[in-house]
Amino acid sequence: MNYTLHQLQVFHTVSRLGSITKAAEELHLSQPAISIQVRNLQEQFEIPLIENIGRKIFITEFGQEIAEAAGRILQEVNAINSKAAAYKGELIGTLRITSVSTGKYVIPTFLTNFIKQHQGIELVLDVTNRSRVRESLEKNEVDFALVSVMPENLQVDEIELMENKLYLVGSSREEQDLSNFGKKILQNIPLIFRETGSGTRHIMEKYIKQKKIPVTKKMELTSNEAVKQAIIANLGYSIMPIIGIRNELKTGILKIIPVDGFPIQSRWKLVWLKGKNLSPVALSFVNYLSKNKEQIIRENFEELN
């Protein structure tokens, strides 16, 4: 067996992303270079690692086992490199974070100074849907996940970052007097929902269920941006995290509709698998957040309180 760490890294990335193209983008390599490395690794084994069906690739069961083993090997190599650098007073390695879609308004701010302080850290940040966030966490593919709804049936450790406040939001072009509806407002206006599995939708539906509000769903959209544009176009109203609509509120495109019992509140949390052996980079980031999160909130999110 003469496979290299580079081949294992490439194959692990292809397996994780399920795509040669996406692996090439993440590793900053050409697609032919990725294919060559996978082919060279395949030559070390008599059992197929990948099946090509049409234009799609599928990782075989044996390939999955090799990819998982490669992931463990790469983690150990990164740990060795980090420990060696630590002896020289440096902090190097990869910090992998996955975040639910609305978290894109939150996590970069908490990362900025940490990354600037440690130039040897490579950041991999995946902003995706809640189900994919949970999967990445469960498979131990990432160091941390940023969530506003805790993943079910997973034992995790956590560090709270900040409040997540959700308001009923409408277009500033809407001239209808909604005060007439009082507490029954949600059952008298067209509501726009995020897709099933969205953290924002989960919080929204939990509130509606707890209050026993009869709501007829009018529209379902797959991103916060799509919801914002639909509200701006005066297609309806939605319950949205204020963190994602700050600019629209400042410019007056959107407005908050006063409703008793609002805002709905949850918490943004950075979580990781309980018992996970955090790398020096990951552990350093946790310590950094513990010491600096309050100052970061004051300097960047004060108007949300």
Side-chain angles (χ1 to χ4, degrees):
M1 295 290 181
N2 295 310
Y3 47 79
T4 66
L5 283 175
H6 184 53
Q7 290 169 1
L8 292 177
Q9 180 190 29
V10 168
F11 181 68
H12 180 261
T13 305
V14 170
S15 174
R16 177 167 55 84
L17 299 177
S19 165
I20 296 287
T21 301
K22 292 179 180 178
E25 291 174 355
E26 181 169 308
L27 296 174
H28 305 292
L29 296 171
S30 66
Q31 292 185 40
I34 295 291
S35 297
I36 289 171
Q37 294 302 319
V38 172
R39 184 167 64 248
N40 289 342
L41 179 64
Q42 176 65 78
E43 290 176 354
Q44 308 295 315
F45 304 100
E46 296 180 1
I47 305 172
L49 301 173
I50 290 178
E51 291 180 334
N52 292 285
I53 301 177
R55 295 186 177 183
K56 293 184 178 181
I57 65 168
F58 297 88
I59 309 300
T60 65
E61 183 177 353
F62 177 69
Q64 292 286 0
E65 293 182 4
I66 297 299
E68 291 174 7
R72 293 191 294 270
I73 292 169
L74 293 169
Q75 284 183 345
E76 291 299 324
V77 170
N78 287 335
I80 291 171
N81 292 339
S82 296
K83 289 177 181 177
Y87 275 99
K88 298 189 295 182
E90 301 174 1
L91 187 64
I92 66 168
T94 302
L95 182 63
R96 295 186 181 275
I97 300 176
T98 185
S99 169
V100 294
S101 58
T102 311
K104 66 186 177 184
Y105 303 109
V106 177
I107 192 61
T109 305
F110 286 92
L111 283 163
T112 301
N113 286 336
F114 180 73
I115 297 298
K116 286 182 178 179
Q117 291 171 14
H118 304 289
Q119 297 295 319
I121 293 177
E122 178 183 351
L123 173 66
V124 178
L125 176 60
D126 181 29
V127 179
T128 184
N129 58 58
R130 190 164 67 105
S131 60
R132 175 57 187 151
V133 167
R134 189 192 189 285
E135 181 183 356
S136 297
L137 193 62
E138 185 176 21
K139 291 184 176 180
N140 199 28
E141 296 173 346
V142 294
D143 298 302
F144 304 109
L146 180 68
V147 297
S148 59
V149 177
M150 292 295 281
E152 298 177 355
N153 302 320
L154 278 184
Q155 295 295 315
V156 297
D157 288 316
E158 65 182 61
I159 180 170
E160 285 194 0
L161 296 185
M162 58 184 287
E163 289 184 334
N164 181 33
K165 296 182 179 181
L166 295 90
Y167 292 84
L168 181 64
V169 180
S171 170
S172 296
R173 292 160 50 191
E174 175 58 69
E175 298 179 355
Q176 182 181 12
D177 184 6
L178 299 177
S179 62
N180 297 328
F181 294 135
K183 294 183 178 180
K184 296 183 179 180
I185 185 171
L186 294 182
Q187 66 191 70
N188 287 281
I189 58 175
L191 274 179
I192 303 171
F193 285 65
R194 282 286 304 276
E195 78 283 4
T196 300
S198 157
T200 298
R201 175 165 176 161
H202 177 86
I203 296 171
M204 183 175 175
E205 289 185 325
K206 182 179 179 181
Y207 175 85
I208 290 171
K209 184 177 180 179
Q210 286 177 341
K211 300 298 181 180
K212 299 180 180 178
I213 302 171
V215 171
T216 302
K217 181 174 64 178
K218 299 295 184 180
M219 190 179 301
E220 179 179 303
L221 300 174
T222 58
S223 71
N224 264 16
E225 188 59 36
V227 172
K228 281 195 291 188
Q229 295 305 318
I231 298 173
I232 291 170
N234 212 9
L235 288 175
Y237 302 80
S238 190
I239 296 173
M240 301 191 70
I242 192 172
I243 188 72
I245 56 173
R246 287 193 292 175
N247 290 336
E248 288 78 11
L249 292 175
K250 287 178 181 178
T251 57
I253 299 174
L254 295 179
K255 64 181 179 181
I256 291 174
I257 312 299
V259 181
D260 288 344
F262 277 67
I264 305 172
Q265 297 194 35
S266 64
R267 307 285 298 184
W268 286 109
K269 297 179 180 181
L270 199 70
V271 302
W272 60 97
L273 287 178
K274 187 175 287 292
K276 180 179 175 62
N277 185 22
L278 294 178
S279 69
V281 169
L283 185 59
S284 180
F285 185 52
V286 170
N287 293 333
Y288 168 82
L289 289 177
S290 298
K291 294 177 182 177
N292 297 283
K293 66 175 183 176
E294 297 301 333
Q295 180 179 346
I296 293 171
I297 292 169
R298 283 195 305 270
E299 292 178 353
N300 298 277
F301 304 107
E302 187 67 32
E303 76 275 18
L304 302 183
N305 296 325

